[in-house]
Amino acid sequence: MGRISEQEQEAIETRLLHNRKFREDIEIAESEMLDDYLNEGLSEDERLQFERRFLSTAIGRRKISFARALKRHSAKAVDTERAETPFVNRRELHPVKRFMTSRWAHAAAFVLLVLSIGMGVWRVFIFQSDVTKGMIALNAAYRDERPVEVRISDLNYAPFSRTRGAELTKVNRAEFDRAETFLRHAVAEEAGAVSHQALGRFYLLSHNYEKAIEQLEQALKSDPENAQAHSDMGAVLLEQGKIEQLSEKSGQSVEQFAHSLEELNKALALDNTLLEALFNRALCYEYMVLPQQAQDAWRQYIERDPYSYWTIEAKQHLKLLEEQQNKRSQIEGRSLQEFLTAYQAGNHDGAWSIVSQNSTSAGNLITNTLLDTYLALESTGEKENAREQLGALLYVGRLEAERTGDRYTTDLSNFYRQTSASERLLLAQAREQMKKGYERFKQSGFNEAINLYMAAKQTFVQTGNEAEAIFAEYRIGHCYVLKPDTDKSLPLFQALSSICEQRQYKWLLAQCFYEIAHIRVSLSEYSAAIDSSNQALKLSTQLQDTNGLLKSLIQMADAYQSLNQTKVSLGLLQRSLTLLNNSAPEPMQAWGIYFATALNCKSLGFYTAALEYQRETLRLALTIKRPLPISRSYEYLGLVLSDLKHHDEAIKNIQLAYETGKAVSGEPNGLELMASSSLSIGDVYRQMGNHKLALEAYRESIQLYDSLEFQYFNCAAHKGMLLSYIAEGDYASAKRELETVLQLFEQYRSTITDGSHRDSFFDTEQSIYDVAIDFEYSKMNNPHQAFMYSEISRARSLLDILRQGARVIEKENGPDLNLPAVSNPPTIQELQRDLPAQSQLLQYAILDDKLLIWVVTKTDVSSAVIHIDDKILHEQVQDYLNVVKSKSAVNAREVSKRAKDLYAILIKPAEPYLNENHLLCIIPDKILSYLPFSSLISPISGKYLLEIYRLELSPSSSIFLDCSNKAYILAKTADERLLSVGNPSIDRSQFPSLPDLPSAAREAETITAYYKSWRLFLRDDARVKTIKDEIKEADIVEFALHYVIDERSEMLSKLVLAKEPSGTTPGQALGGALPAYEIYKMTLPRTRLVVLSACQTGIEHAYRGEGSVGLARPFMAAGVPLVIASLWAVDSDSSAELMIEFHKQRSLNRLPTAEALRRAQLNMLHGQNELYHQPYYWASFVTIGGYADF
Amino acid sequence: MKKELILTKEDFDSLLNWLDADPEIAATQYEVIRRCLIKIFMYRGCSDPESLADETFDRVAKKVSAIADSYDGDPTNYFYGVARNICREEARKQLPLIEASSLTVVMIDEEESTFVCLEKCLESLSEQQRSLVLSYYQEDGQMRITLRKTLAEKMGIALNALRIKACRIRNTLEKCVDECLKRAH
């Protein structure tokens, strides 16, 4: 056309080809253009241009001809209508100014004009795109004030307003609305990196972070190398983290800041001059509590952008950081003199504040200084001054006792008040020994330290100074802990804690709990460790002891991290970082916080954040000058560098860690540092593919740990060796290592006693079982052994509970299960022997690059392997779940196609070994736990799996057997008593938005017709206490109601029941809900079947290892051998139909449960209501448990 | 002049299969692409957009067996590439645009046939559709806008939804009229 560039024209044409909506808009615009032409609504120039385009082509002429004909017909219709309705004067209708309803239709008309008439004047309108217009409006909206602290790309400077939320006073609402319209329109009409990024910025400024992230993710998907989009993403995460920071426990903020830093670094890697990324990174460091890095980053920013308003802000940040640093040094320097001033002025609060901030592992520094000065003055005969010091010491004791109830300093000062000169001389010597011991301790000279502490203790005992004798004992124990020598340290602290409790030495008692927790971690008794840490934490909070508080928080974070509960761990670290920012703790505590934070960031894959934190630990460690933190910092810095693929640098750092340990190798702690470094060197060599060197390093590590009789990391070293042997092809050695590793894992299983801890620990460690399965199957050609490894890795906690029961315990984070001793699953021979004759097992194991399938029958064990990447399989299942869970019939073709694809992978290879007449029990693995197997379709016969087999699910083969045995015993009862609960009245104070479920009431009521003996509870009658009482007497239980999942823990998810009327105490505490943990407390020896006709009762979360956890699990734990549960949120009406039919089939036709459910589902599938033919309506429900004749 | 298509059935089937394995979906795709190509050629000022669209399909169909396996992406883009080339070739040989005034006379004969055909086609619509399309295209200028707004309100739908409805009916009618005219000739 000559008026727009070829590139622009192509952009429009491409859109025409790809965008249905755009095509339609063009059609509309085109027809309007034709009408305007016929109505003489075009200017002379426009008309000429139009005629040239349209009349020169046959199709154009036809269009005009058609438009003219339509105009004539319309006019004819008007005349007829007017004749029929003469009173309506159309000309009197209010004329409105010409407008287009859709802004885009307007634009489309212009597009057409540009294309067909070539009016260059519109070019500006079109190519000042919606994005440009939106951004202009956005800048105008926030011209006076910006609502977020971060710097957003393409946004001009405006001062930052601290006001949160939408109540911004200085936002131009009209421009804001315009920006929203343009930018949303841009995304709707021309989705691409630019439009998504722009809308992302809009959402960020509106504090709508979730949506901002969504848009920026889209932008980055289209344009992954877009530095500005990465910077904006970093900005959103930073702002989101700031909000999360306000809720201390979540731990999300640490993760979000770490993620933000990753994005900002990506932006800077693409464009190291990007000012917004430089600005945001400096800000991010501040929120990560890395003041040194923040200062450097602000300086870097100021250098890059010396003359702008942004720089003024940058300078303010820098100034503030410098001031904070000075403030911290001032706190650090709060000395004895300051205390004495407060004491003399009678400023008790001030004096106490100084005392409480001076508690260290060497005791309270104020107390120590006062005591040492007192002894020195006494020895030189300065009685008056000595008395003053003693008075101050007594004052400290009084403050301590009054404020915290701790009697240590009171006892100490009272003792010294009564000492003789000769005793004081001895005591001064003993205190000198304590100091020397502490110095040796700091240099990891634990044996020497212990000797010095013991000598001092002896003097204290001799002189009757019980308080300090106890303190010396604590120091000795602490050395044993760090040596490490758990045999000596554990009984020592157990005894010491009783003494401290009796004497009310609360600070020392807190230290005992802390030390016990440390020992428990060393013994891999994480649950017990967390309990002790919690006790220490509570006491430290009560004592206002910042160092103690931090120590406990770090310790708990460390334990949770070991249990792979990263979120909980980060929540604790978030608290620690906040404390660190506002106080001046011992450098060792600061080191601990950064170290633990680095570990968590590493495990989340935020390596650059981990690197920054680890660099900070090294900086602090070199200041502290103690071998342990120095060695550990080098070691873990090396590991992070290895993650970032800087292997050479990684090795160098870890070797420095090793050398640091070697320098103190005369001490066990030095050997431990060497052992740990060797292990890490092994890991790095293995990552590099150098298995020979890796094996050497692992061997050295194991040797060193063995010499210490300390197996803390032995398991990791054996694991490394196993992987290296497999990679090297040395299968004999690999097999040996495998046995060692699994033996160690079984030990962990027995020492981790809290259910949630064990689940999360084995969730991550499942990888080692997967290695074992793959090794036996692929390398040793032993599918039977592979099956056994698969079996010993799954649902073990549930098996323990089924066999021995479990106790519900109240923990800091809510209720948890205290698991019994570990039970062993049956061998494959035992399994086959005890397998009910009419059943067969189909067990899966998803490995990294393959899927293994076993079919176990009474007579055979067959297996098959499908080579498929686990990520691809995961994606396929996930895609299928997405379509199958959609109610829309539009997806039917897609559902069917995917169902066939999955059948081909999951069922077809096993088909030759399966018997269609037997019950087929599926033991799923990982993502397969969510899959409705019944809805898979055979590509050959076109039949659903449901049509071919009677199906059931079970968490493991062992559990199938246990449930089958239970069912066999219960089958002897002839008459069944039904408890039917439907549509309980909802407690609106607890669940304001849950809808009423009339069909659930109908379901519960109707099914009673199929049972001779029944109890029915509907609406107000379906109360918690009543149901808890009735359930014990029921053989069959039906719950048709709401189930509410609690995101925090599956223990807190609940069945919604009616509230107890006010005034009745029992059950009132639970309100109108029966939580899962209450069901775990039940024993239901009589109940044979529970039907959970509610939303997603079968699975809330699937752990690798333990498998699916949901409401079905507590009922199985309570002894119920069969549970019918749902895999997703179900439709109430169709569920009612399905369940009524199920009970009918079961009762009238006397069919076993699995078969009755199958018939009910088949009836729905082939029934008259076509809507219900979709798997969404019938495939959600599954029978879980064992084989049963009822 | 419209060129004779030299597509074999085999070529055509391969082409459809390339668009989608499902023949129904492929046919729809084919139709959509063709309509778009016609528009593109028309907007670019080519004198016989329909023939050129067919020419595009012809060329693609001849190549489809060679490229189908290796081509990675949306087939629509491939059609567009071929169409652009055709357009360039056309531009090189195209005569200057004919003055519109010399063409208006030619149209008059067709007018009545179109009117008659449209009448028939209007009859094939439902009462509701017919009423909507005739009401929608009544009047002109501001009055038309007002009437459309009133109509939308009466139907309880947004004005834009009304525009879309009317446009879709118009397209149906246009197609019907085209068929009718073909039969008449």
Side-chain angles (χ1 to χ4, degrees):
Chain A
M1 309 293 290
R3 303 289 177 95
I4 56 171
S5 71
E6 174 75 10
Q7 202 185 4
E8 288 163 343
Q9 189 167 359
E10 282 179 11
I12 293 172
E13 288 169 353
T14 307
R15 207 166 149 198
L16 180 71
L17 278 158
H18 289 281
N19 189 326
R20 195 177 64 83
K21 175 82 174 39
F22 185 75
R23 274 199 298 277
E24 206 154 59
D25 283 337
I26 287 286
E27 298 273 10
I28 293 170
E30 193 184 74
S31 61
E32 294 207 357
M33 190 72 58
L34 283 159
D35 291 348
D36 280 350
Y37 168 72
L38 294 176
N39 293 327
E40 296 178 359
L42 300 179
S43 71
E44 186 58 18
D45 184 45
E46 287 168 350
R47 188 183 60 78
L48 280 172
Q49 294 287 347
F50 179 83
E51 284 178 351
R52 277 172 180 238
R53 294 290 154 197
F54 269 70
L55 297 184
S56 66
T57 63
I59 187 169
R61 287 194 294 276
R62 282 208 310 275
K63 278 177 179 292
I64 289 175
S65 181
F66 172 81
R68 208 188 300 275
L70 184 60
K71 185 176 156 68
R72 280 171 66 192
H73 274 290
S74 296
K76 208 171 115 188
V78 171
D79 290 340
T80 317
E81 199 180 323
R82 275 186 189 150
E84 286 166 8
T85 54
F87 304 111
V88 178
N89 183 352
R90 284 167 182 257
R91 298 283 167 191
E92 282 173 16
L93 290 171
H94 296 294
V96 290
K97 72 173 183 178
R98 188 182 173 92
F99 72 100
M100 301 265 189
T101 49
S102 149
R103 205 175 278 270
W104 178 243
H106 201 177
F110 287 126
V111 171
L112 189 68
L113 278 168
V114 171
L115 287 168
S116 63
I117 304 175
M119 293 173 70
V121 69
W122 301 117
R123 187 182 182 281
V124 176
F125 179 87
I126 295 297
F127 287 94
Q128 193 187 64
S129 64
D130 280 344
V131 168
T132 311
K133 284 184 281 184
M135 287 309 296
I136 291 168
L138 204 56
N139 266 299
Y142 293 106
R143 197 184 56 195
D144 298 325
E145 221 171 55
R146 72 179 202 275
V148 287
E149 198 175 6
V150 290
R151 183 171 173 177
I152 305 170
S153 56
D154 288 346
L155 253 286
N156 298 330
Y157 178 80
F160 169 51
S161 151
R162 295 245 163 219
T163 318
R164 288 190 183 277
E167 297 305 313
L168 289 168
T169 47
K170 289 182 184 170
V171 61
N172 181 331
R173 293 304 308 181
E175 291 294 345
F176 176 87
D177 292 342
R178 266 167 61 77
E180 182 173 17
T181 309
F182 281 126
L183 297 175
R184 285 165 73 105
H185 198 251
V187 165
E189 293 304 318
E190 196 157 15
V194 176
S195 55
H196 281 302
Q197 189 186 353
L199 188 58
R201 289 175 193 141
F202 170 82
Y203 284 130
L204 165 55
L205 284 163
S206 320
H207 299 290
N208 195 340
Y209 303 127
E210 294 296 333
K211 283 194 173 176
I213 288 172
E214 250 173 54
Q215 293 300 323
L216 289 166
E217 274 174 353
Q218 290 288 332
L220 286 165
K221 211 171 162 183
S222 314
D223 186 5
E225 304 288 286
N226 183 337
Q228 280 195 335
H230 281 295
S231 174
D232 288 342
M233 180 65 103
V236 182
L237 291 162
L238 182 51
E239 288 294 335
Q240 204 180 24
K242 283 164 62 184
I243 299 290
E244 291 292 342
Q245 207 174 27
L246 301 174
S247 70
E248 271 194 354
K249 273 194 165 178
S250 78
Q252 291 277 313
S253 70
V254 182
E255 191 178 341
Q256 269 148 343
F257 294 147
H259 192 177
S260 170
L261 185 68
E262 298 281 324
E263 290 294 333
L264 295 168
N265 279 336
K266 273 183 203 164
L268 288 166
L270 291 162
D271 178 1
N272 64 2
T273 62
L274 194 66
L275 290 175
E276 46 266 36
L278 285 169
F279 186 94
N280 294 337
R281 186 165 67 171
L283 205 55
C284 190
Y285 282 137
E286 269 190 44
Y287 283 98
M288 289 170 78
V289 196
L290 289 166
Q292 199 57 54
Q293 285 85 335
Q295 287 183 41
D296 293 346
W298 284 124
R299 286 190 193 104
Q300 196 186 352
Y301 181 84
I302 294 162
E303 200 181 310
R304 288 265 184 193
D305 182 25
Y307 310 109
S308 79
Y309 284 113
W310 293 104
T311 309
I312 296 171
E313 268 192 28
K315 285 180 179 169
Q316 283 167 350
H317 277 278
L318 189 58
K319 196 176 160 212
L320 211 65
L321 282 165
E322 285 164 354
E323 280 172 8
Q324 275 174 351
Q325 198 176 19
N326 290 340
K327 204 175 142 194
R328 262 196 292 272
S329 354
Q330 277 167 11
I331 295 172
E332 276 163 10
R334 287 177 89 178
S335 60
L336 177 73
Q337 195 50 51
E338 214 178 326
F339 162 75
L340 289 173
T341 310
Y343 159 56
Q344 280 151 9
N347 176 2
H348 308 312
D349 288 342
W352 172 245
S353 154
I354 297 164
V355 171
S356 62
Q357 281 167 16
N358 276 283
S359 291
T360 71
S361 53
N364 190 288
L365 296 182
I366 300 289
T367 307
N368 284 345
T369 316
L370 286 171
L371 195 51
D372 289 339
T373 315
Y374 163 73
L375 290 170
L377 291 169
E378 279 283 1
S379 69
T380 53
E382 297 171 69
K383 297 282 177 194
E384 193 57 35
N385 288 340
R387 243 196 317 278
E388 267 181 35
Q389 295 296 317
L390 190 62
L393 189 65
L394 283 161
Y395 173 69
V396 171
R398 205 166 55 242
L399 277 180
E400 196 176 71
E402 279 170 10
R403 307 234 167 190
T404 67
D406 191 326
R407 295 203 49 82
Y408 178 81
T409 313
T410 305
D411 285 358
L412 189 71
S413 47
N414 282 337
F415 167 78
Y416 275 95
R417 200 159 56 165
Q418 290 161 7
T419 50
S420 64
S422 59
E423 280 173 336
R424 281 195 291 272
L425 199 61
L426 279 172
L427 287 163
Q429 284 168 1
R431 286 186 59 80
E432 263 318 299
Q433 284 171 318
M434 289 293 288
K435 278 186 213 157
K436 279 184 190 160
Y438 191 67
E439 287 309 312
R440 286 309 303 137
F441 157 81
K442 283 202 286 187
Q443 292 311 310
S444 297
F446 299 128
N447 286 335
E448 280 180 72
I450 288 168
N451 290 337
L452 287 159
Y453 287 142
M454 277 184 164
K457 184 187 160 191
Q458 206 174 355
T459 309
F460 292 139
V461 172
Q462 277 169 6
T463 51
N465 182 354
E466 290 175 1
E468 280 194 288
I470 291 169
F471 186 83
E473 181 75 349
Y474 151 62
R475 295 304 310 161
I476 293 164
H478 189 47
C479 289
Y480 283 133
V481 169
L482 294 183
K483 261 184 84 174
D485 186 340
T486 49
D487 289 346
K488 284 190 177 145
S489 57
L490 187 59
L492 185 151
F493 277 110
Q494 280 168 336
L496 200 60
S497 60
S498 308
I499 297 168
C500 292
E501 205 161 1
Q502 279 166 15
R503 291 181 166 262
Q504 296 178 46
Y505 292 172
K506 293 192 177 176
W507 182 85
L508 270 172
L509 182 61
Q511 309 315 304
C512 290
F513 288 136
Y514 172 80
E515 301 294 345
I516 290 171
H518 198 131
I519 299 161
R520 298 285 184 203
V521 168
S522 306
L523 297 169
S524 306
E525 295 170 6
Y526 297 109
S527 305
I530 289 167
D531 286 345
S532 295
S533 281
N534 244 322
Q535 285 177 295
L537 183 72
K538 277 182 195 156
L539 267 175
S540 300
T541 311
Q542 194 191 328
L543 297 167
Q544 298 167 22
D545 170 16
T546 311
N547 281 320
L549 198 65
L550 283 172
K551 258 175 25 174
S552 307
L553 285 171
I554 299 163
Q555 189 174 55
M556 278 168 77
D558 187 36
Y560 278 113
Q561 209 269 331
S562 300
L563 290 165
N564 303 310
Q565 293 194 5
T566 313
K567 298 245 180 262
V568 186
S569 180
L570 282 172
L572 296 160
L573 288 170
Q574 187 175 307
R575 280 177 71 185
S576 313
L577 285 164
T578 310
L579 269 172
L580 179 67
N581 215 15
N582 301 320
S583 61
E586 280 187 283
M588 201 51 205
Q589 306 313 334
W591 179 87
I593 296 168
Y594 287 124
F595 189 78
T597 311
L599 282 188
N600 275 283
C601 289
K602 182 181 181 303
S603 71
L604 287 170
F606 297 128
Y607 300 125
T608 55
L611 188 68
E612 292 300 343
Y613 280 120
Q614 212 55 265
R615 280 186 177 141
E616 187 60 16
T617 68
L618 183 62
R619 195 183 65 79
L620 280 167
L622 294 171
T623 317
I624 300 166
K625 294 180 183 160
R626 284 169 60 174
L628 187 140
I630 293 173
S631 178
R632 287 273 198 268
S633 299
Y634 276 128
E635 182 188 341
Y636 281 82
L637 184 62
L639 287 174
V640 178
L641 286 165
S642 175
D643 289 327
L644 291 164
K645 310 284 174 223
H646 302 307
H647 292 123
D648 292 342
E649 229 183 308
I651 294 285
K652 271 184 210 161
N653 274 284
I654 304 174
Q655 269 161 353
L656 281 172
Y658 182 89
E659 293 304 324
T660 310
K662 202 174 173 184
V664 284
S665 58
E667 291 286 339
N669 178 249
L671 295 177
E672 196 279 323
L673 294 176
M674 288 165 70
S676 177
S677 308
S678 295
L679 169 65
S680 295
I681 288 175
D683 285 342
V684 176
Y685 278 131
R686 190 164 55 76
Q687 277 186 25
M688 292 166 73
N690 192 337
H691 297 288
K692 204 172 162 216
L693 287 179
L695 281 166
E696 267 178 37
Y698 288 134
R699 272 190 212 107
E700 182 177 359
S701 175
I702 290 170
Q703 209 175 1
L704 286 163
Y705 278 128
D706 284 347
S707 71
L708 289 165
E709 293 179 2
F710 182 64
Q711 295 195 332
Y712 188 42
F713 283 120
N714 249 359
C715 185
H718 283 293
K719 209 164 112 180
M721 286 188 80
L722 164 67
L723 296 171
S724 292
Y725 280 134
I726 294 174
E728 287 275 274
D730 182 353
Y731 299 146
S733 304
K735 189 146 178 82
R736 213 171 43 244
E737 285 302 329
L738 186 59
E739 278 159 19
T740 312
V741 170
L742 293 182
Q743 210 176 346
L744 288 165
F745 267 77
E746 286 304 299
Q747 280 174 26
Y748 283 133
R749 204 181 283 283
S750 57
T751 54
I752 303 172
T753 53
D754 286 4
S756 66
H757 296 167
R758 202 191 277 179
D759 292 346
S760 61
F761 181 83
F762 283 98
D763 183 56
T764 300
E765 299 301 343
Q766 176 65 26
S767 59
I768 204 68
Y769 288 97
D770 288 348
V771 166
I773 297 165
D774 196 18
F775 174 71
E776 285 297 343
Y777 197 94
S778 310
K779 312 290 184 200
M780 305 306 286
N781 198 22
N782 188 346
H784 286 207
Q785 188 54 38
F787 174 86
M788 277 321 295
Y789 284 143
S790 154
E791 188 57 19
I792 62 163
S793 72
R794 62 183 69 203
R796 293 285 300 279
S797 297
L798 181 58
L799 185 70
D800 295 340
I801 302 170
L802 286 184
R803 292 185 178 174
Q804 300 165 73
R807 208 159 44 86
V808 174
I809 43 171
E810 209 36 63
K811 290 284 182 157
E812 195 69 7
N813 299 322
D816 207 338
L817 289 173
N818 185 256
L819 297 171
V822 174
S823 319
N824 290 322
T827 63
I828 199 159
Q829 292 77 14
E830 288 166 342
L831 194 67
Q832 282 187 285
R833 184 193 67 204
D834 298 339
L835 192 70
Q838 296 298 304
S839 63
Q840 56 198 329
L841 302 169
L842 179 59
Q843 185 150 325
Y844 293 95
I846 300 177
L847 309 178
D848 287 350
D849 59 350
K850 57 178 81 71
L851 169 75
L852 296 184
I853 305 176
W854 294 271
V855 175
V856 182
T857 66
K858 198 90 185 136
T859 50
D860 294 303
V861 178
S862 317
S863 62
V865 58
I866 293 92
H867 293 279
I868 183 167
D869 187 283
D870 63 338
K871 287 180 199 74
I872 292 171
L873 180 61
H874 190 281
E875 210 171 287
Q876 262 188 280
V877 175
Q878 198 56 62
D879 288 348
Y880 177 63
L881 290 171
N882 290 342
V883 288
V884 84
K885 286 185 198 173
S886 154
K887 284 185 192 180
S888 168
V890 178
N891 291 327
R893 189 196 294 265
E894 190 66 16
V895 174
S896 163
K897 185 182 173 297
R898 292 181 187 278
K900 285 177 186 169
D901 291 347
L902 283 171
Y903 188 104
I905 298 168
L906 299 170
I907 307 296
K908 198 167 177 295
E911 264 179 350
Y913 317 113
L914 296 175
N915 183 337
E916 291 182 13
N917 299 317
H918 287 182
L919 174 85
L920 176 59
C921 180
I922 294 167
I923 321 288
D925 187 28
K926 304 184 181 91
I927 184 74
L928 298 182
S929 302
Y930 293 91
L931 185 68
F933 278 85
S934 58
S935 67
L936 301 187
I937 302 171
S938 162
I940 294 166
S941 67
K943 283 183 177 175
Y944 282 104
L945 191 66
L946 176 80
E947 296 175 280
I948 310 169
Y949 298 99
R950 187 164 28 120
L951 297 169
E952 228 180 70
L953 284 186
S954 193
S956 72
S957 294
S958 313
I959 288 173
F960 177 78
L961 275 198
D962 277 39
C963 288
S964 302
N965 292 339
K966 184 87 197 287
Y968 178 76
I969 298 162
L970 288 173
K972 286 166 191 161
T973 313
D975 294 325
E976 289 177 335
R977 179 186 162 100
L978 169 75
L979 165 65
S980 188
V981 184
N983 192 26
S985 302
I986 298 164
D987 176 4
R988 291 292 165 203
S989 62
Q990 254 184 305
F991 309 104
S993 58
L994 288 180
D996 188 43
L997 299 172
S999 53
R1002 183 170 60 85
E1003 174 185 336
E1005 207 166 357
T1006 312
I1007 63 165
T1008 56
Y1010 305 119
Y1011 295 87
K1012 280 183 195 162
S1013 166
W1014 50 266
R1015 297 279 286 157
L1016 174 66
F1017 296 93
L1018 303 173
R1019 300 179 187 90
D1020 286 347
D1021 295 334
R1023 293 197 296 271
V1024 178
K1025 189 181 174 303
T1026 315
I1027 303 307
K1028 279 176 78 179
D1029 291 342
E1030 288 286 338
I1031 199 168
K1032 293 172 200 156
E1033 306 301 321
D1035 301 296
I1036 311 290
V1037 180
E1038 164 91 12
F1039 284 112
L1041 36 62
H1042 282 293
Y1043 177 57
V1044 178
I1045 289 173
D1046 195 306
E1047 295 298 333
R1048 291 167 298 171
S1049 157
E1050 58 269 10
M1051 297 289 280
L1052 297 170
S1053 298
K1054 46 192 79 78
L1055 284 169
V1056 177
L1057 293 170
K1059 206 168 103 174
E1060 295 294 329
S1062 48
T1064 51
T1065 354
Q1068 247 195 338
L1070 297 170
L1074 182 61
Y1077 69 86
E1078 282 292 325
I1079 302 165
Y1080 274 113
K1081 287 179 188 170
M1082 294 178 182
T1083 312
L1084 302 172
R1086 176 175 173 167
T1087 312
R1088 51 170 63 181
L1089 168 66
V1090 172
V1091 181
L1092 299 168
S1093 181
C1095 289
Q1096 212 186 326
T1097 46
I1099 182 163
E1100 284 171 45
H1101 179 72
Y1103 287 102
R1104 290 149 50 93
E1106 189 56 26
S1108 58
V1109 289
L1111 188 63
R1113 193 173 185 255
F1115 280 109
M1116 291 172 81
V1120 181
L1122 280 182
V1123 179
I1124 290 182
S1126 56
L1127 297 174
W1128 58 76
V1130 290
D1131 175 79
S1132 183
D1133 293 344
S1134 62
S1135 298
E1137 263 193 44
L1138 184 75
M1139 288 309 159
I1140 292 168
E1141 183 63 20
F1142 159 72
H1143 285 283
K1144 187 177 155 189
Q1145 292 287 345
R1146 191 176 173 278
S1147 198
L1148 297 186
N1149 296 340
R1150 297 198 171 279
L1151 293 176
T1153 298
E1155 180 60 20
L1157 181 65
R1158 178 179 177 231
R1159 293 276 177 93
Q1161 288 172 320
L1162 286 172
N1163 286 350
M1164 189 168 259
L1165 171 63
H1166 300 302
Q1168 284 185 339
N1169 188 341
E1170 282 188 21
L1171 184 68
Y1172 290 168
H1173 293 186
Q1174 294 171 60
Y1176 165 80
Y1177 291 96
W1178 51 264
S1180 175
F1181 286 99
V1182 288
T1183 310
I1184 307 169
Y1187 177 88
D1189 287 328
F1190 50 79
Chain B
M1 280 292 102
K2 196 169 177 176
K3 289 174 188 172
E4 278 301 309
L5 287 177
I6 47 164
L7 239 61
T8 63
K9 188 183 179 302
E10 202 177 75
D11 286 339
F12 189 66
D13 287 345
S14 309
L15 182 109
L16 287 180
N17 191 47
W18 187 45
L19 287 175
D20 201 282
D22 185 322
E24 269 179 47
I25 297 172
T28 314
Q29 280 271 84
Y30 176 91
E31 198 51 42
V32 168
I33 295 170
R34 189 172 181 277
R35 281 169 70 100
C36 287
L37 291 178
I38 289 171
K39 276 200 196 314
I40 289 167
F41 285 123
M42 186 165 79
Y43 298 157
R44 284 186 175 229
C46 301
S47 58
D48 193 352
E50 288 162 292
S51 295
L52 295 178
D54 291 338
E55 167 78 5
T56 309
F57 276 99
D58 190 13
R59 289 195 195 179
V60 175
K62 283 286 160 208
K63 285 193 174 172
V64 80
S65 53
I67 58 157
D69 287 338
S70 57
Y71 186 80
D72 184 20
D74 187 344
T76 314
N77 296 335
Y78 192 83
F79 280 94
Y80 182 51
V82 173
R84 269 184 316 186
N85 288 338
I86 290 175
C87 214
R88 282 190 204 108
E89 288 165 25
E90 202 65 9
R92 280 196 289 273
K93 62 184 179 191
Q94 197 158 359
L95 296 166
L97 289 171
I98 306 158
E99 278 306 314
S101 54
S102 63
L103 289 162
T104 44
V105 188
V106 188
M107 292 169 67
I108 294 169
D109 260 355
E110 271 194 327
E111 289 286 345
E112 272 317 300
S113 317
T114 309
F115 184 77
V116 173
C117 278
L118 180 58
E119 193 161 31
K120 283 180 191 165
C121 291
L122 279 166
E123 277 167 19
S124 69
L125 294 178
S126 70
E127 177 62 38
Q128 203 185 10
Q129 283 180 316
R130 187 164 52 246
S131 164
L132 188 151
V133 76
L134 292 176
S135 305
Y136 186 83
Y137 289 106
Q138 281 171 16
E139 304 293 348
D140 57 25
Q142 289 179 339
M143 180 51 87
R144 170 182 279 192
I145 306 284
T146 311
L147 279 175
R148 287 181 183 179
K149 198 180 171 203
T150 313
L151 185 61
E153 278 167 9
K154 213 168 124 186
M155 292 175 71
I157 56 172
L159 193 50
N160 200 43
L162 176 69
R163 288 156 65 85
I164 293 168
K165 268 180 189 286
C167 183
R168 284 180 184 162
I169 301 170
R170 184 185 172 130
N171 282 344
T172 314
L173 283 174
E174 214 174 337
K175 220 171 163 183
C176 171
V177 168
D178 279 354
E179 293 297 325
C180 170
L181 287 172
K182 267 185 210 162
R183 281 196 301 273
H185 292 155

